[in-house]
């Protein structure tokens, strides 16, 4: 850079005009500049690239280095000052440039004032630049934490009108007990509370920009790795509306029915690869996704299993009727229809994955959603699970409210899980410090009363519970006839199954020392009542013998889906001997079929006795003609060695006659 340019940047030029209050003007041309450069029209124009914006007029090209900073510095009180030069000033500048700039040699004091003002302006520019950098960094952090702030605001709004207040709100302001909140259906909402929005959504934001899907969904978020969605032939129709309830049903078109028939054939082949081949042509077939998810889960591929369930859930949500609502609690789906069962099972398995993922609040919302679809029949028996999820989510008020509203017509106290979970919720509520003293004492008294009733009604729960918690009972308790080994042996099998289900799922909730000491106090109170001959003890014993003769089919279905070893081992033999399919466990006996599977016409069904004999021994045995007709086994080149062996044995046995045998 030349000496003259450095002199200009330091503010040592002659004839520099001071800065005006409403115009920014730099006159830095001397006589030599006028001779060398001449009157160039581009030097005094607007800022390049600033069409439509007010630029800064400069007569020194080096001043364009900080033009952007100067332009930002002119923003005063939120408004940009007028940077265009008046006509008289601009004409004066041109005149001075033409006549050798004779007027610039008049006053040195003006030059000193101009240089001091320019130095002050440069200092302001540096401060302004630093402020802009700080603002940019702050805006980046605020955008990342924006969602988290929104969630906190929503929580405050909910707390101001929801269940977190110690006193119950009036009944008119309460929502339905099965009301589902949209924001709690998203597991990211719960994970952001634990880990923050930046940790949860940091890697998802770039991917969401590339996502192109037909609609926004509540139950799951579509992924870019999924196949492009096209309607698989699944839809929903409104059957009827009566008494404020709307009854819906999923519907399969002809294309989806053909895919369903191929799926049933693939399941009978006991080969998961056949389902994979079917998903290549029908990537959003729900039952295939459910069955393949179970296969991946058995192979300990949890990530793929969960991804398949989310894809099935997305497929069914895209088929919703416009009037179908997830949150109202007034929409019904009949479980007797096979088309509706897929939605039940998909929601249940998604709920199980959420619970294992550490999102009990989201899993509780899914549980309420399943229960709201058919609360009277409760086909998946969600009442055996909702108390456990409410305790894990620390939503004690909801569990207490559900018990108070449904006890009169559903007799929830006759279920061991509710009989023990509700007093536990009262006790945990009494341990909170933000409640008034009278409410704490009231909750503690109610907890003691209910746990004593539960121990009197279900004495066979205590000893297995203490064993699960690795607690050695007192000698007076273990040797007493009421809580001894006879209490567990004498209970009916159906009751033993419910007890095993509850203890296998919720025993770890009782391991805290404060809970154990509270339980010990009430156990001694129950023993005193038993020794005193309380008539309630005999009444509970007679009730146990009458009520728990045989468990209904929905409880067996729930036990199979729960996969709790202790409860599955207690299933009756007529259930364990049945073939249970993961896509439809224990279907209702009064199933309503919309369409019937066509009868399979294959060479084996009309073949000889030897072929039927091999079919009975090897369910996977199929002939080439049957394989080509079904079109799901992967072609004639699959398992060629086994096929050749089976064909050779079949040809050999075809020439064999039973008359040749000597008996």
């Amino acid at each position: 850079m030349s000496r003259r340019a450095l002199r200009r940047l330091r503010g040592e030029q002659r004839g520099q005009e001071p800065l005006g209050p409403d115009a920014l003007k730099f006159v830095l041309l001397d006589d030599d500049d006028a001779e060398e450069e001449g009157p160039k029209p581009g030097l005094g124009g607007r800022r390049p690239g600033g069409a439509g914006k007010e630029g800064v007029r400069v007569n020194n090209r080096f001043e364009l280095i900080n033009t952007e900073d100067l332009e930002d510095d002119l923003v005063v009180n939120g408004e940009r000052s007028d940077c265009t030069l008046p006509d008289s000033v601009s004409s004066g500048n041109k005149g001075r440039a033409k006549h050798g700039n004779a007027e610039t040699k008049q006053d040195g004091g003006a030059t000193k004032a101009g240089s001091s003002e320019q130095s002050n302006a440069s200092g302001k520019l540096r401060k302004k630049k630093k402020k802009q950098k700080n603002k940019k960094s702050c805006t980046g952090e605020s955008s990342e934490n924006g969602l988290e702030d929104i969630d906190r605001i929503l929580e405050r709004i909910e707390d101001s009108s929801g269940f977190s207040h110690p006193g119950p709100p009036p009944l008119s302001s309460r929502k339905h007990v099965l009301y589902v909140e949209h924001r709690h259906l998203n597991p990211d909402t719960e994970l952001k509370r634990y880990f923050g929005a930046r940790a949860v959504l940091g890697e998802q934001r770039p991917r969401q920009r590339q996502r192109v899907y037909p609609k926004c969904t509540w139950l799951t978020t579509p992924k870019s790795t999924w196949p492009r969605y096209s309607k698989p032939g699944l839809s929903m129709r409104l059957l009827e509306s009566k008494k404020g309830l709307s009854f819906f049903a999923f519907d399969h078109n002809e294309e989806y029915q053909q895919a369903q028939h191929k799926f049933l054939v693939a399941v009978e082949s006991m080969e998961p690869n056949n389902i994979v081949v079917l998903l290549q042509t029908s990537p959003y077939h729900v039952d295939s996704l459910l069955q393949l998810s179970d296969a991946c889960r058995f192979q300990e591929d949890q990530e793929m299993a969960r991804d398949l369930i989310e894809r099935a859930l997305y497929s069914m949500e895209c088929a919703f009727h416009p009037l179908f609502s997830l949150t109202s609690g007034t929409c019904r789906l009949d479980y007797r229809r096979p088309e509706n069962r897929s939605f039940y099972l998909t929601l249940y398995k998604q709920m199980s994955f959420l619970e294992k993922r550490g999102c009990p609040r989201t899993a509780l919302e899914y549980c309420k959603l399943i229960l709201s679809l058919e609360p009277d029949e409760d086909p998946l028996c969600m009442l055996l699970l909702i108390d456990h999820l409410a305790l894990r989510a620390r939503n004690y008020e909801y569990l207490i409210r559900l018990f108070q509203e449904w006890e009169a017509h559903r007799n929830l106290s006759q279920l061991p899980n509710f009989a023990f979970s509700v007093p536990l919720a009262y006790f945990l509520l009494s341990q909170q410090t933000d409640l008034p003293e009278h409410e704490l004492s009231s909750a503690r008294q109610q907890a003691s009363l209910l746990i004593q009733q539960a121990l009197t009604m279900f004495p066979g729960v205590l000893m297995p519970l203490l064993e699960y918690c690795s607690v050695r009972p007192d000698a007076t308790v273990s040797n007493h006839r009421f809580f001894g080994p006879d209490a567990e042996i004498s209970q009916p099998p159906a009751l033993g199954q419910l007890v095993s289900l509850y203890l296998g799922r919720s025993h770890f909730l009782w391991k805290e020392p404060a809970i154990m000491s509270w339980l010990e106090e009430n156990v001694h109170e129950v023993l005193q009542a038993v020794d005193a001959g309380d008539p309630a003890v005999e009444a509970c014993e007679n009730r146990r013998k009458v009520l728990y003769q045989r468990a209904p089919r929905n409880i067996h279905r729930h036990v199979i889906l729960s996969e709790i070893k202790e409860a599955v081992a207690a299933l009756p033999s007529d259930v364990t001997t049945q073939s249970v399919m993961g896509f439809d466990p224990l279907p209702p006996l009064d199933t309503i079929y919309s369409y019937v599977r066509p009868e399979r016409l294959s060479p084996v069904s009309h073949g000889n006795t030897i072929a039927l004999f091999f079919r009975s021994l090897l369910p996977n045995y199929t002939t080439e003609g049957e394989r080509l007709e079904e079109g799901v086994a992967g072609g004639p080149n699959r398992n060629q060695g086994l096929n050749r062996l089976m064909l050779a044995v079949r040809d050999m046995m075809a020439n064999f006659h039973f008359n040749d045998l000597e008996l």
Side-chain angles (χ1 to χ4, degrees):
M1 184 178 294
S2 64
R3 184 180 303 175
R4 183 174 54 191
L6 292 176
R7 187 176 66 248
R8 291 172 183 173
L9 290 177
R10 287 196 300 265
E12 297 177 358
Q13 296 87 344
R14 293 173 297 174
Q16 182 179 9
E17 297 292 336
L19 292 173
D22 57 349
L24 182 62
K25 177 177 61 176
F26 291 94
V27 183
L28 303 176
L29 294 176
D30 52 7
D31 298 337
D32 298 335
D33 297 335
E35 294 176 359
E36 293 178 1
E37 299 177 1
K40 296 182 181 179
L43 295 177
R46 295 180 182 268
R47 175 186 171 187
K53 299 181 181 179
E54 295 180 353
V56 180
R57 288 186 182 274
V58 294
N59 290 328
N60 184 3
R61 68 183 67 185
F62 295 103
E63 294 298 333
L64 294 176
I65 299 175
N66 295 326
T67 302
E68 183 177 359
D69 296 335
L70 289 171
E71 190 176 12
D72 294 334
D73 192 44
L74 294 176
V75 179
V76 180
N77 296 329
E79 297 180 359
R80 185 177 298 272
S81 61
D82 190 7
C83 297
T84 57
L85 295 176
D87 296 337
S88 59
V89 178
S90 60
S91 61
N93 289 338
K94 293 179 182 179
R96 279 190 291 269
K98 291 181 180 179
H99 293 85
N101 198 6
E103 297 177 1
T104 58
K105 301 179 181 179
Q106 293 179 356
D107 192 5
T111 305
K112 293 181 181 180
S115 61
S116 62
E117 290 183 4
Q118 184 179 2
S119 61
N120 294 333
S122 62
K124 292 181 180 180
L125 289 176
R126 296 191 190 98
K127 294 180 181 179
K128 186 68 176 180
K129 194 170 184 180
K130 292 181 180 179
K131 290 181 180 180
Q132 288 177 353
K133 292 182 179 179
N134 294 333
K135 287 182 179 180
K136 290 181 180 179
S137 61
C138 293
T139 53
E141 295 177 358
S142 62
S143 62
E144 293 176 354
N145 298 328
L147 295 175
E148 186 175 4
D149 296 338
I150 292 174
D151 291 335
R152 291 178 181 176
I153 294 173
L154 292 176
E155 288 178 4
R156 292 175 184 175
I157 295 174
E158 182 183 358
D159 292 342
S160 63
S161 62
F163 303 112
S164 60
H165 280 294
L171 294 177
S172 59
S173 63
R174 283 190 175 186
K175 298 178 182 178
H176 193 269
V177 70
L178 297 180
Y179 178 81
V180 179
E181 299 183 26
H182 271 144
R183 68 189 186 96
H184 288 307
L185 291 174
N186 187 1
D188 292 340
T189 304
E190 186 172 3
L191 291 176
K192 283 186 292 185
R193 297 179 186 174
Y194 303 148
F195 309 108
R198 184 182 303 177
V200 176
L201 301 178
E203 298 180 357
Q204 299 180 7
R205 289 171 182 170
R207 299 176 183 176
Q208 291 178 356
R209 297 174 183 174
Q210 302 174 0
R211 188 182 65 193
V212 179
Y213 282 92
K215 63 181 296 186
C216 179
T217 55
W218 290 104
L219 296 176
T220 185
T221 302
K223 299 180 181 179
S224 58
T225 57
W226 291 354
R228 181 172 295 276
Y229 178 79
S230 60
K231 292 185 178 180
L234 184 65
S235 60
M236 179 184 283
R237 56 192 173 94
L238 176 62
L239 299 179
E240 59 178 348
S241 298
K242 60 180 181 180
K243 297 181 180 180
L245 302 177
S246 301
F247 296 86
F248 296 87
F250 283 95
D251 195 13
H252 297 171
N253 65 0
E254 184 177 357
E255 179 183 358
Y256 199 93
Q257 292 179 16
Q258 293 178 1
Q260 187 73 13
H261 299 330
K262 293 180 180 180
F263 165 74
L264 296 176
V265 173
V267 170
E268 291 177 356
S269 67
M270 305 297 289
E271 179 61 42
N273 292 327
N274 293 340
I275 303 178
V276 175
V277 174
L278 178 59
L279 284 175
Q280 292 178 357
T281 57
S282 302
Y284 287 93
H285 184 259
V286 178
D287 287 345
S288 299
L289 294 170
L290 292 177
Q291 193 71 17
L292 189 60
S293 175
D294 289 341
C296 294
R297 188 164 50 85
F298 294 150
Q299 296 177 1
E300 299 182 356
D301 191 356
Q302 300 293 333
E303 187 67 25
M304 178 59 69
R306 187 178 65 183
D307 185 78
L308 293 172
I309 292 297
E310 292 179 356
R311 197 201 302 183
L313 200 59
Y314 176 75
S315 177
M316 303 203 77
E317 188 173 1
C318 290
F320 281 174
H321 192 275
L323 299 179
F324 185 80
S325 174
L326 294 171
T327 61
S328 63
T330 59
C331 296
R332 299 289 183 263
L333 286 175
D334 194 350
Y335 192 80
R336 295 176 299 173
R337 297 180 178 272
E339 298 86 354
N340 296 340
R341 295 175 201 164
S342 301
F343 187 56
Y344 278 91
L345 297 174
T346 306
L347 289 175
Y348 186 92
K349 294 183 179 182
Q350 175 71 355
M351 177 193 64
S352 301
F353 281 120
L354 290 172
E355 182 185 3
K356 295 177 182 178
R357 192 181 175 185
C359 302
R361 183 65 181 87
T362 310
L364 174 62
E365 216 67 20
Y366 272 82
C367 185
K368 291 195 295 183
L369 175 58
I370 299 173
L371 185 58
S372 67
L373 295 178
E374 199 170 359
D376 295 332
E377 299 296 332
D378 194 9
L380 298 185
C381 211
M382 303 309 297
L383 288 177
L384 298 178
L385 177 62
I386 192 170
D387 61 298
H388 170 75
L389 296 176
L391 289 176
R392 285 201 60 189
R394 300 181 181 181
N395 200 346
Y396 311 128
E397 296 87 351
Y398 175 77
L399 178 58
I400 293 172
R401 179 193 171 192
L402 177 64
F403 178 77
Q404 292 175 350
E405 294 187 9
W406 283 26
E407 168 63 18
H409 65 283
R410 298 296 292 267
N411 293 325
L412 298 181
S413 60
Q414 304 305 313
L415 296 174
N417 59 311
F418 268 93
F420 283 86
S421 295
V422 174
L424 181 59
Y426 271 110
F427 176 77
L428 294 174
L429 194 62
S430 67
Q431 301 297 308
Q432 297 182 358
T433 58
D434 56 346
L435 295 177
E437 186 64 28
H438 67 280
E439 293 190 5
L440 294 177
S441 60
S442 176
R444 182 67 178 263
Q445 294 176 1
Q446 188 70 13
S448 300
L449 176 63
L450 292 177
I451 193 61
Q452 292 176 16
Q453 294 178 0
L455 290 171
T456 306
M457 184 65 188
F458 307 105
V461 177
L462 179 63
M463 299 306 294
L465 177 60
L466 296 178
E467 184 178 357
Y468 272 110
C469 298
S470 302
V471 175
R472 186 174 182 179
D474 194 359
T476 58
V477 177
S478 59
N479 296 331
H480 200 279
R481 59 177 179 83
F482 189 73
F483 289 118
D486 295 338
E488 186 177 359
I489 298 174
S490 61
Q491 62 186 2
L495 178 58
Q497 183 177 345
L498 293 175
V499 171
S500 301
L501 182 66
Y502 173 69
L503 294 178
R505 175 179 285 155
S506 305
H507 64 87
F508 64 91
L509 298 175
W510 294 81
K511 289 186 176 183
E512 295 183 8
I515 296 176
M516 276 297 165
S517 61
W518 165 71
L519 179 62
E520 183 181 3
E521 296 174 1
N522 291 279
V523 166
H524 289 291
E525 293 289 337
V526 172
L527 288 180
Q528 293 179 4
V530 171
D531 295 337
D534 192 347
V537 177
E538 185 178 358
C540 291
E541 184 178 359
N542 295 331
R543 200 181 307 162
R544 285 196 302 269
K545 295 179 181 179
V546 174
L547 294 179
Y548 305 98
Q549 294 296 327
R550 180 177 175 81
R553 195 173 180 85
N554 60 341
I555 292 182
H556 295 161
R557 190 181 298 117
H558 178 87
V559 170
I560 293 174
L561 289 174
S562 67
E563 297 180 356
I564 297 176
K565 297 180 180 179
E566 297 82 2
V568 173
L571 287 173
S573 58
D574 58 339
V575 176
T576 56
T577 54
Q578 297 182 17
S579 59
V580 179
M581 297 297 179
F583 67 94
D584 191 9
L586 295 181
L589 301 178
D590 54 347
T591 300
I592 302 176
Y593 292 102
S594 301
Y595 59 93
V596 182
R597 179 186 177 187
E599 184 180 358
R600 294 176 58 191
L601 299 176
S602 62
V604 176
S605 60
H606 299 283
N608 52 21
T609 307
I610 302 302
L612 296 176
F613 172 72
F614 274 102
R615 170 56 67 89
S616 64
L617 293 180
L618 300 173
N620 296 339
Y621 169 71
T622 56
T623 61
E624 293 295 332
E626 183 181 5
R627 182 179 295 105
L628 292 175
E629 180 183 355
E630 293 170 355
V632 294
N637 295 327
R638 183 176 179 82
N639 297 330
Q640 291 184 356
L642 181 60
N643 292 336
R644 291 170 183 169
L645 178 61
M646 296 302 298
L647 290 174
V649 174
R650 185 188 65 180
D651 295 337
M652 180 183 66
M653 297 299 293
N655 299 325
F656 181 81
H657 300 282
F658 286 95
N659 296 331
D660 297 336
L661 291 175
E662 295 181 0
L663 301 177

